[in-house]
Amino acid sequence: MPIYAVRTSPSLHGEAQINTSKNAVLPIMAAALLCHSPVTLHQVPNLTDVDSMAGVLEACGAKVTRTGRDLTVQADHLCSPRDASVMHRLRASILVLGPLCARAGEAEVPLPGGCAIGQRPVDIHLRGMRALGAEANQENNLAIARGRLTGGSIYLDFPSVGATENLIMAAALAQGVTRIENAAKEPEIVDLCDFLIRCGARILGAGTGTVVVDGVSRLNGIEYTPIPDRIEAGTLACAAAITEGSILLSGARSDHLRALLFKLRETGMLVQEDARGLCLRGRAKRGVDVRTLSYPGFPTDLQAPMMTVCCKTKGQSVFLETIFENRYMHAVALSRMGADIRTEGRMAVVRGGAPLYGCTVEATDLRAGAALMLAGLMAQGETQLVDEAGHIDRGYEGLDEKLRQLGADILRSGGTR
Ligand code: UD1
């Protein structure tokens, strides 16, 4: 079990290279199941969620090989995964439902796991599969979809990222034209579609609320490098704000981080964009209000790190979490460290500026863990961050190491990747 001893750190300075995006890699790995020839992904980060997804694809009959930072998926003979424990390791395991049904004509997929930040049902995925002509249901802890897929019209009750991805993948090999309304617009959806288009898919409107997919009979494997991780970049940007540092985030895409950058500028931070990436410096002075929304709104995955920033800024910040119903677990730990935070349902009010004191806190989920590591940098004394479930390694490759290279005082013990 990883334990991080985080001590009060000086201003962080230097350059950090941003990895490729976990949330882009995972759906593209699932999409590799649609391809008749091997897919090789480059620059794949070393994350336990990637390992878990590789296990999911293997349980579906694919061959997955990893050489350095390249990952190859060969999907010749597909089957439904029987091992529920593999599927429970991550939420993104549900993303094999669409590809399996599209290619093999049926999919019986144990319901996914992932961070306990809300109920996270799969009803939108299943309703969409039904619109594509499948018989789709949830039974005995399985998501089931069967039948030959045909194009259809789909309206998503909520622009779910995962459902949009699943349905685009299913529609890519369905017969006829599919129109998905109220689709999610996240950069990872655009990246998935860019990948599929290069494999031979016909997709229009990725990144808008209406995605149109004209099904083809076959997709071929390609080599592909996914986009940089906007959440890793955003987390490190928050570290710069918390420590009054100056960090160059190499490779970060400012066009994917607009909402966060607006908010950081509002606190008083200086943000410069250039060809190498993003540079953050200055001091976060003022509290800000943050409402999480679907892209291009403020990402729910950066709500926790941003709350740590708002513990530092003077004045009041109001948070409204509209995506997940149980995503304030870090607020409890931050309060234990001395922060003045009141939560009420989906709202949290932070009265910033109170000194934080190191104590033992637990990483209750992936982004909460990152937020608490950042809080340790500004807390007096030592913060023991216990990550019993290894949440941080699921989504960040060596976050402690990256922060340490920028000058942070963090020691990791008890389990390495
Ligand atoms: C993805 C991201 C995750 C991010 C989230 C929201 C990946 C691997 N994960 O998760 O990091 O926090 O988007 O930006 O890309 N919902 C339903 N029914 C459904 C599907 C979703 O009610 O069938 C609800 C969920 O419970 C949640 C909301 O919709 O409240 C958003 O979920 P969704 O966009 O699907 O998130 P994920 O794809 O799981």
Side-chain angles (χ1 to χ4, degrees), residues 112-129:
C115 284
I117 51 180
Q119 276 190 31
R120 308 185 89 176
V122 296
D123 55 316
I124 304 176
H125 300 245
L126 294 176
R127 213 170 307 132
M129 291 301 291

Side-chain angles (χ1 to χ4, degrees), residues 21-24 26-27 49 90-95 113 117-127 157-165 184 186 188 230-231 293-295 298-302 321-325 327 346 366-367 394:
S21 159
K22 165 181 92 76
N23 286 353
L26 300 179
D49 266 8
L90 78 173
R91 169 76 186 174
S93 61
I94 190 66
L95 296 178
I117 51 180
Q119 276 190 31
R120 308 185 89 176
V122 296
D123 55 316
I124 304 176
H125 300 245
L126 294 176
R127 213 170 307 132
D157 286 337
F158 179 86
S160 153
V161 175
T164 303
E165 291 166 343
E186 270 68 2
E188 294 77 17
R230 63 193 169 104
I231 308 301
L293 287 169
S294 299
Y295 191 84
F298 192 96
T300 173
D301 287 351
L302 288 174
E321 171 57 61
T322 76
I323 308 293
F324 292 108
E325 63 274 20
R327 209 166 197 187
R346 290 184 181 253
L366 168 52
R367 308 301 173 187
R394 290 186 39 216

